[in-house]
Amino acid sequence: MKRVNLKQIAETLNISVSTVSKALKDYPDVSKKTKRLVKETVELLNYKPNAFAVNLRTKESKTIGLIIPEIVHHFFSSVIKGIISKAEKKGYLVIILQSNESYELEKKQLDLLSSKRVDGILISLANETADFKHLNDLIQHELPMVMFDKIAKIVNCSKVIINDRKAAYTATKHLIDSGCKRIAHFRGPLLPQNSIDRFLGYKSALIEHGISYDPSLVYILKDMSYDEGVHFAGQLLKDHNDVDGIFINTDLVAIGAITEFNRIGVSVPEDISIVGFSNWFMSSVISPTLTTIDQPGYEMGKEAFKLLYKEIKKRKENLPIKFKTLELETKLIKRATTRN
């Protein structure tokens, strides 16, 4: 069936199109009887407003774009839930795209969202992203944008982050406080800012507690996957059989490492203690349960949308915008992979 339009409703009731439009908008100069007839006819004919036409009038698409590296990742799925919980209340549709950690795909997706005239964009950068021209170009064209989690410090826009360096310092200090003296670090790729900051937090915790930093104890992972956790756990034991603690950049990798240690008979935490990062739900069901840093993904999603929504409204009203960086708190969740 073809879509019903206002003209067909007007012809059915033998009134003008403008009267139909006013009745639907509850204008006071339209009688209650006419309003009732219009609403009954709209329901009978299953009329749906033309969103494109409405958008042209209001200069709003009521859609926002969301670009994330991975949809299946527990942290990002929590972020998505937080964003949607706020966006729906404000009448916004969220277009979700996955960059697969690819810089080139991220650029294409930003171009696509811009061409679709979204009202704003939320983005967590791909691991490959080292050039930020594609981001700055959109900001210069006054398209509202908020970064979260994986950000670029030199891009001038609002951001929602955690203090990755502080959180990593806390994780490493906990290993030290529990008696560990040779602590390895499974870190992420070299480019993402959060990977850099977590490494720096690990390194500073060692140095400040009188433990020499040994670069051979730092393993650079590419995909941050379960399989890499399995692989590097085995590799670590071949390279350094005296290691008694590991700070691991994300829980998925940590679970892979625990699985491998369980398989080969390395006792956790008696032989090696482990601290992960993000507090994925599997962290509490793996055996032994994983000590980790709780990263507030749901809250990050909510706050990122709130910042974006405020900017969208201010731009529409031609009000000045002051970019803001919001830092959310993290906390250490002590479980069974550390000794206290």
Side-chain angles (χ1 to χ4, degrees), residues 43-68:
E43 188 173 340
L44 180 67
L45 298 178
N46 195 28
Y47 166 76
K48 303 292 182 184
N50 186 325
F52 182 72
V54 172
N55 295 342
L56 285 176
R57 289 195 300 271
T58 63
K59 296 183 180 180
E60 284 186 306
S61 68
K62 299 302 286 186
T63 60
I64 62 166
L66 169 61
I67 301 177
I68 56 175

Side-chain angles (χ1 to χ4, degrees), residues 57-251:
R57 289 195 300 271
T58 63
K59 296 183 180 180
E60 284 186 306
S61 68
K62 299 302 286 186
T63 60
I64 62 166
L66 169 61
I67 301 177
I68 56 175
E70 290 183 87
I71 291 176
V72 296
H73 194 290
H74 166 70
F75 170 72
F76 287 114
S77 65
S78 297
V79 171
I80 292 171
K81 289 177 183 177
I83 291 169
I84 291 176
S85 73
K86 287 295 181 182
E88 285 186 337
K89 291 178 181 177
K90 298 296 184 180
Y92 278 84
L93 176 70
V94 183
I95 300 173
I96 304 171
L97 301 174
Q98 177 174 293
S99 69
N100 293 325
E101 304 288 9
S102 166
Y103 166 66
E104 292 298 332
L105 184 54
E106 180 181 281
K107 284 199 302 180
K108 290 178 182 177
Q109 290 172 343
L110 280 172
D111 286 342
L112 173 65
L113 292 173
S114 177
S115 70
K116 295 296 183 183
R117 298 292 191 267
V118 295
D119 294 334
I121 292 174
L122 298 168
I123 184 169
S124 181
L125 298 181
N127 283 344
E128 292 181 1
T129 300
D131 182 351
F132 310 120
K133 184 178 182 300
H134 59 309
L135 302 164
N136 287 321
D137 285 348
L138 290 183
I139 291 169
Q140 288 174 5
H141 284 88
E142 298 188 341
L143 177 62
M145 181 184 299
V146 174
M147 290 184 181
F148 63 91
D149 187 45
K150 293 197 286 187
I151 64 156
K153 291 182 178 179
I154 62 174
V155 174
N156 192 25
C157 67
S158 291
K159 304 173 179 78
V160 184
I161 59 172
I162 60 169
N163 190 327
D164 285 285
R165 190 179 299 199
K166 178 182 176 183
Y169 181 99
T170 298
T172 308
K173 181 178 182 298
H174 176 61
L175 289 168
I176 296 168
D177 291 344
S178 69
C180 296
K181 301 186 184 308
R182 286 279 285 170
I183 302 171
H185 177 37
F186 291 180
R187 62 162 292 169
L190 295 174
L191 283 178
Q193 188 64 52
N194 61 357
S195 180
I196 295 168
D197 287 339
R198 289 175 197 178
F199 163 70
L200 293 174
Y202 153 80
K203 184 177 179 180
S204 63
L206 295 180
I207 294 170
E208 288 182 24
H209 289 83
I211 298 176
S212 298
Y213 165 65
D214 182 352
S216 72
L217 294 178
V218 177
Y219 292 79
I220 300 173
L221 281 64
K222 179 182 178 183
D223 301 320
M224 301 304 295
S225 65
Y226 171 88
D227 288 340
E228 281 189 318
V230 171
H231 169 74
F232 282 101
Q235 188 63 48
L236 175 66
L237 292 181
K238 291 178 183 178
D239 297 341
H240 304 280
N241 60 13
D242 59 342
V243 164
D244 55 6
I246 320 173
F247 166 50
I248 300 181
N249 207 37
T250 187
D251 286 355

Side-chain angles (χ1 to χ4, degrees), residues 304-318:
F305 177 79
K306 284 163 66 176
L307 282 178
L308 185 67
Y309 179 74
K310 288 178 182 177
E311 187 169 327
I312 290 169
K313 289 298 153 191
K314 285 186 176 181
R315 287 199 185 281
K316 186 178 180 183
E317 297 166 11
N318 293 316

